[in-house]
Each structure stands twice: as structure tokens, then as C-alpha cells.
Amino acid sequence: ETGFRMIDDIRKNIAGRNAFDTSELIKGICGDSFQMLACVDWLVENNEIELIYDKCARNYWVYRRKV
């Protein structure tokens, strides 16, 4: 249940935006950081967002909305 709530919060953070980094995805969400990153990975695996740049620290990985 907590994970699904985090996923909904992440979806709210990206509403109306096309590109964002990890820190923007999890901004304002409280909880375990590993669970937050797992939620981000879940969104990637389920084709809601796409990882487009990962050559730096995880906080600055860049994603975009899948169209």
C-alpha cells in the first residue's frame, strides 16, 4: 500500500511535465529512499517514464514521459 501511495505521489510530481530528474520525481515524498527508487524503477518497467540519461549520480538521472 505504501508503495502505491508513493507511485501516486510521483505521478503528481510529474503531472504536466515532459522531462525531469530523480530528485524532482521524489520531491516532497517522505519515506524509505530505497522504496522511492524502487517506485521510480517500477514506473520505468511499466513504460510510464523512460530513462534517458544515467551517466551521473542517481539523483540527477534524467527521465521523460513515455508517449
Side-chain angles (χ1 to χ4, degrees), residues 14 18-23 25 37 39-67:
I14 64 174
N18 291 324
F20 27 80
D21 64 20
T22 306
S23 62
L25 287 172
L37 294 176
C39 290
V40 171
D41 291 340
W42 186 90
L43 290 168
V44 171
E45 290 171 6
N46 287 284
N47 295 316
E48 292 191 38
I49 60 176
E50 176 182 24
L51 176 63
I52 58 173
Y53 184 78
D54 65 352
K55 306 295 184 218
C56 56
R58 178 77 190 251
N59 283 357
Y60 303 107
W61 285 10
V62 180
Y63 300 86
R64 70 177 166 204
R65 185 180 300 279
K66 290 280 268 198
V67 260

Side-chain angles (χ1 to χ4, degrees), residues 5-47:
R5 191 175 14 234
M6 280 186 184
I7 289 170
D8 285 340
D9 290 341
I10 291 170
R11 286 178 178 144
K12 290 175 189 173
N13 285 344
I14 64 174
R17 303 176 66 199
N18 291 324
F20 27 80
D21 64 20
T22 306
S23 62
E24 294 170 329
L25 287 172
I26 61 176
K27 184 177 182 177
I29 301 173
C30 296
D32 181 77
S33 60
F34 289 105
Q35 189 172 21
M36 285 182 224
L37 294 176
C39 290
V40 171
D41 291 340
W42 186 90
L43 290 168
V44 171
E45 290 171 6
N46 287 284
N47 295 316

